[in-house]
Amino acid sequence: MKYHGIRGLLGAAAVATALVTAPPALADYPVQTVRLITHSSPGGGMDVFLRKIGQHLGPIMGVNFVVESVTGSGGAAAMAAVVNGPKDGSVFYGSTPTHIITSLLSNPSVTYEEMAPVVNLFNDPQTVYVLADSPYQTLGDIVADAQENPSSVVVSVSTPGSLDRQVMEEFQALTETSMIVLTHDGGGDAILSVLNGTAQVGVSEIAELRGQMEAGKVRIIATYTDERVPGIGDVPTAREQGYDLVVSKFRGIAGAKDLPPDVIAAWEEGVATLMKDPEFRDWYEAEGLQNAYQTQAEALAARDEFVVSLQAFFDEFGIN
């Protein structure tokens, strides 16, 4: 996976749900049940992502996967649950840029530096969406309204430390506009704010929007990608609409630092096999996800590069 800085990369109740009843754990994996923790609220993009992983990866690794939603503090509560948990391969974190952003912009009890990537799987395109009957047809319509009526346009994003919130900071600077950015505990909650009319615009991933798109409730008007994304209609990119902003959100699995090497090796082998599974591939391609599998060593190097780019972005826009 290639990173291009922030422009190119671009929640504490727990809800646990068993994903599949897999065969007994294989002899080379130390535990039978693995918890996958997310900062996203149920129905959010990472919640959907982890459930699908558990469904397909469980039989491959011989493990029962359980998803837990630990919301609050921009991902800090979920990070603490992972780092303070057992170091035996039984608890992991669904990672996105959020936990890095939260670490850099606040003072959480646990930061990304006490964690380590295990594997990365995808780049997840960011999209801009509105209600199906919204008068906004293009990004230009939103910009024009925001320029004519400053602070009148409300944009719904997920957590305060999410990449979609950072995308909005950059978009406002790029367009010299002032909008209200409404944050939530996760992507599922953010979509509700658009559906109930609290916000006129939302920024999200395709997986979070798929159900509402198919129900005819929302439509995507732009993607922050280099090229148009198949499977969502003929939606022009932000660049095609005159706004030079390309963002892709990495999705992967992270854990506490210094997990046993055999645990890391089992994940690397299991996920490498998963990415070749035809049914799983059909799912992620339909969701607009881009295969960006990385081993731990590769993901660690990419993370460190991202941190440098992210800090430069914060400095450029005076975000602290």
Side-chain angles (χ1 to χ4, degrees):
M1 174 166 49
K2 185 177 181 181
Y3 289 96
H4 304 282
I6 190 66
R7 289 181 175 85
L9 277 174
L10 327 200
V15 179
T17 304
L19 293 176
V20 329
T21 301
L26 298 177
D28 58 354
Y29 200 81
V31 297
Q32 185 172 356
T33 299
V34 173
R35 299 158 59 210
L36 301 177
I37 294 180
T38 174
H39 60 261
S40 177
S41 55
M46 183 54 75
D47 180 69
V48 173
F49 166 75
L50 292 178
R51 291 175 188 278
K52 185 60 71 168
I53 284 180
Q55 177 185 345
H56 290 273
L57 188 59
I60 294 172
M61 292 180 62
V63 169
N64 296 318
F65 284 106
V66 172
V67 171
E68 295 183 19
S69 178
V70 182
T71 62
S73 306
M79 293 160 60
V82 173
V83 171
N84 296 328
K87 310 300 189 294
D88 58 357
S90 64
V91 58
F92 294 92
Y93 177 68
S95 64
T96 68
T98 293
H99 75 296
I100 299 175
I101 294 169
T102 295
S103 298
L104 295 177
L105 293 183
S106 60
N107 188 30
S109 61
V110 168
T111 73
Y112 80 90
E113 293 176 303
E114 296 168 77
M115 305 176 69
V118 177
V119 289
N120 278 342
L121 285 83
F122 301 117
N123 278 338
D124 195 354
Q126 297 282 283
T127 73
V128 181
Y129 68 97
V130 296
L131 286 176
D133 60 358
S134 169
Y136 299 144
Q137 300 297 318
T138 67
L139 290 178
D141 293 340
I142 298 171
V143 171
D145 194 7
Q147 290 175 336
E148 184 176 350
N149 303 289
S151 299
S152 65
V153 178
V154 180
V155 182
S156 184
V157 301
S158 56
T159 64
S162 64
L163 187 61
D164 30 317
R165 185 248 172 175
Q166 299 305 320
V167 168
M168 280 309 304
E169 297 289 350
E170 188 165 357
F171 185 74
Q172 290 181 91
L174 183 66
T175 58
E176 299 182 341
T177 56
S178 177
M179 307 182 203
I180 297 174
V181 180
L182 185 63
T183 62
H184 301 76
D185 280 338
D189 297 327
I191 294 171
L192 288 177
S193 287
V194 175
L195 293 174
N196 65 26
T198 302
Q200 294 84 51
V201 183
V203 179
S204 186
E205 297 86 43
I206 297 167
E208 292 179 324
L209 295 173
R210 179 65 68 183
Q212 300 301 332
M213 291 169 58
E214 293 176 349
K217 300 290 186 180
V218 303
R219 54 185 170 83
I220 296 174
I221 63 172
T223 63
Y224 290 119
T225 52
D226 283 309
E227 299 178 351
R228 296 192 181 193
V229 178
I232 60 172
D234 198 20
V235 178
T237 68
R239 272 184 172 168
E240 290 179 285
Q241 299 183 48
Y243 306 97
D244 189 14
L245 187 55
V246 176
V247 180
S248 190
K249 182 177 188 175
F250 67 80
R251 289 195 181 274
I253 301 295
K257 286 173 57 176
D258 302 322
L259 290 176
D262 61 323
V263 168
I264 302 301
W267 272 91
E268 290 177 336
E269 181 180 355
V271 173
T273 300
L274 173 66
M275 299 303 288
K276 300 174 185 177
D277 176 75
E279 185 178 347
F280 186 69
R281 184 172 61 244
D282 288 345
W283 170 76
Y284 72 70
E285 289 181 347
E287 297 302 323
L289 295 168
Q290 301 166 331
N291 184 338
Y293 170 75
Q294 291 182 315
T295 64
Q296 182 179 64
E298 293 168 333
L300 274 167
R303 185 196 69 177
D304 292 344
E305 181 182 344
F306 176 65
V307 169
V308 173
S309 298
L310 188 62
Q311 189 61 65
F313 166 74
F314 291 155
D315 293 343
E316 179 182 354
F317 290 94
I319 299 172
N320 53 56

